[in-house]
Amino acid sequence: MEVVVTSNPTELGTIVADAIEQLVTNVPNATLGLATGSSPLTVYAELIRRHQQGRISFRRTTMFLLDEYVGLPADHPETYRMTIRREFTDQIDVPDSSAHGPDGTATDLLAECQRYEEKITASGGIDLQLLGIGTDGHIGFNEPVSSLASRTRIKTLTPGTRNDNARFFTSPEEVPQHALTQGIGTILEARHLVLVASGATKAEAIAKTVEGPIGAMVPATSLQLHPHATVVVDESAAAMLQRIDYYRSAYLNKPAWQTI
Ligand code: GLP
């Protein structure tokens, strides 16, 4: 796993946007996996800026969201589909019909999970999957003790995750109990995984993800099994990493032609 320690969230956004720009430029029909949450926001802001400068187009890019709440009406502002439109896809030139998310309003949720898996497969698979991380080490909504081989399915959110996400709702009880999420097995099939994290609240989860033993209690440790996983953090999220000096020197000594 490569670890890139950046000085601040803006630099984090630039480094990850460089990798996405390179992908979208070299592979015009690229498939990009999107994540909601606070850490990827500087990545989206930088991509929007480059798009507005005419430097990058997403017209032929297909996008897949990681997860979605179950039971919120489709036009609720906190559905992940509405959130990603607001924060990213409505501000670039990707057609809305090319940006997909699991449908948390489907009457048959099991069939919806299967349909979503098939849609990802039919696209040729995800080239680069952006990931955030929960304070308990979850990715997507794969909460602790999720199977490391899991596929897209319905998950019950932990009280901790509902509490973390309560800030987006008028009351904590309004946070849905369930979500649809790509499974860890699904996520591991993406060709490049880029996990981003900023802020001190993520420091413990990042240290466990990078340096801890692989295990279902910290779902993000599954990235250690992936041949091309990159963890991009700011100084605060990196604060508990034991081998930080090594990560810094490895990144500085990378061949100039190589992005993350
Ligand atoms: C939710 C999402 C995750 C995201 C996490 C962290 O649980 N399902 O995909 O990584 O929030 O969000 P934040 O970066 O806002 O803390």
Side-chain angles (χ1 to χ4, degrees):
M1 185 185 297
E2 181 180 29
V3 181
V4 182
V5 182
T6 63
S7 323
N8 53 54
T10 307
E11 193 192 357
L12 178 156
T14 304
I15 286 172
V16 178
D18 285 347
I20 294 175
E21 179 177 347
Q22 191 186 60
L23 170 71
V24 173
T25 307
N26 294 344
V27 185
N29 295 315
T31 302
L32 184 62
L34 303 176
T36 50
S38 52
S39 295
L41 287 178
T42 56
V43 178
Y44 298 144
E46 179 61 16
L47 290 172
I48 292 164
R49 200 181 65 81
R50 293 182 192 189
H51 168 67
Q52 287 167 348
Q53 288 175 337
R55 188 166 145 183
I56 175 169
S57 169
F58 297 92
R59 248 193 319 269
R60 295 174 62 192
T61 310
T62 303
M63 302 189 183
F64 285 95
L65 261 177
L66 271 178
D67 48 6
E68 182 59 272
Y69 289 118
V70 168
L72 291 182
D75 60 352
H76 191 291
E78 293 309 324
T79 64
Y80 281 177
R81 190 74 184 82
M82 291 295 272
T83 303
I84 205 73
R85 278 188 179 127
R86 194 168 58 238
E87 289 171 349
F88 185 43
T89 58
D90 277 357
Q91 300 186 62
I92 53 170
D93 59 348
V94 66
D96 195 56
S97 57
S98 301
H100 310 283
D103 179 1
T105 68
T107 40
D108 186 341
L109 290 171
L110 293 181
E112 171 57 15
C113 292
Q114 182 63 32
R115 184 198 68 85
Y116 200 60
E117 285 273 333
E118 285 164 8
K119 192 129 192 128
I120 294 173
T121 306
S123 77
I126 292 171
D127 290 300
L128 186 154
Q129 175 67 57
L130 263 176
L131 297 165
I133 187 167
T135 49
D136 58 3
H138 74 243
I139 49 175
F141 269 130
N142 293 284
E143 298 282 29
V145 308
S146 286
S147 155
L148 301 187
S150 50
R151 310 301 307 186
T152 303
R153 69 209 183 294
I154 183 165
K155 284 296 288 182
T156 302
L157 305 183
T158 63
T161 295
R162 292 186 67 227
N163 192 45
D164 282 350
N165 291 354
R167 65 188 193 277
F168 299 113
F169 294 84
T170 43
S171 72
E173 302 79 58
E174 232 193 284
V175 184
Q177 302 268 6
H178 299 102
L180 301 184
T181 181
Q182 286 186 35
I184 296 176
T186 319
I187 292 169
L188 290 178
E189 282 174 7
R191 288 180 269 281
H192 184 190
L193 298 179
V194 179
L195 187 147
V196 292
S198 50
T201 57
K202 302 293 168 68
E204 191 180 343
I206 287 297
K208 287 179 176 168
T209 296
V210 175
E211 296 173 341
I214 298 173
M217 276 301 280
V218 184
T221 59
S222 59
L223 267 67
Q224 295 177 29
L225 297 166
H226 194 279
H228 190 187
T230 313
V231 172
V232 188
V233 287
D234 70 352
E235 291 283 355
S236 320
M240 291 172 75
L241 288 167
Q242 289 177 26
R243 307 197 69 201
I244 189 162
D245 294 339
Y246 171 69
Y247 310 138
R248 285 189 206 282
S249 72
Y251 183 63
L252 280 174
N253 292 311
K254 225 173 140 103
W257 48 266
Q258 211 175 5
T259 60
I260 58 169

